[in-house]
Amino acid sequence: MSRHMSPSGRRSLVAAVVLSAILLTVLSVHALWAPWSGTSQPASADTPQGAATLTGGTAHDVVILTVSTPVTGTTAVDVRLVPRDGAATGGSSTVVTVSAVLPTAGHAVPGFTTAPVADNRYHVAGLPLMMPGRWEFVVAIEGDGRHNRLVFPLTIPR
């Protein structure tokens, strides 16, 4: 046999369920809308103000990708290879390309071969990002026995 609840007990139960639902909704919206940009690094002296810096790695290198202006339009992109064993990386036979994909909209920017700058650093002057969304920057490293491909997700807000 079931017990009947009093009207005030029923109101308290409904209020608790509604508050729980509101809390879960707020937490879900925050988790979905909070831009996730990978592993962020503090800006260095040569990093432009407002740039996004993401870090990944391979067996040979720590790979640091810096997107100078993470908004729609054209942006400069820098890649730095930091050898894990302290040995020299890069060299004339290393080719680094950067491309970008926006899977949710079916957009893709073809691979741009970077220009070697110095000290294991590579640069692309203008990578076009045609609309906001969660882009995937793809860095490919070829040469010196390397055949690596890293994906860095970055939300472009506007």
Side-chain angles (χ1 to χ4, degrees):
M1 221 190 306
S2 64
R3 257 178 36 163
H4 293 285
M5 285 183 101
S6 68
S8 64
R10 198 170 302 138
R11 279 191 295 266
S12 297
L13 180 61
V14 168
V17 168
V18 168
L19 286 175
S20 297
I22 290 171
L23 179 62
L24 285 174
T25 302
V26 168
L27 291 174
S28 297
V29 167
H30 175 69
L32 291 173
W33 284 74
W36 184 82
S37 58
T39 306
S40 181
Q41 295 291 314
S44 65
D46 58 345
T47 301
Q49 182 71 21
T53 300
L54 308 167
T55 304
T58 68
H60 300 285
D61 305 294
V62 172
V63 180
I64 302 169
L65 174 79
T66 301
V67 179
S68 294
T69 313
V71 295
T72 56
T74 302
T75 184
V77 176
D78 293 292
V79 177
R80 181 172 173 220
L81 305 178
V82 179
R84 290 191 184 274
D85 60 6
T89 293
S92 61
S93 64
T94 300
V95 176
V96 177
T97 58
V98 177
S99 61
V101 178
L102 181 59
T104 57
H107 293 303
V109 176
F112 282 73
T113 301
T114 61
V117 178
D119 190 30
N120 301 324
R121 295 174 190 261
Y122 301 84
H123 181 75
V124 172
L127 191 75
L129 304 173
M130 51 289 280
M131 67 184 293
R134 185 161 183 207
W135 285 84
E136 294 177 354
F137 290 81
V138 181
V139 176
I141 305 165
E142 299 288 332
D144 291 335
R146 292 172 175 79
H147 303 286
N148 299 309
R149 186 175 176 268
L150 295 96
V151 178
F152 296 90
L154 179 65
T155 299
I156 302 299
R158 55 180 168 88

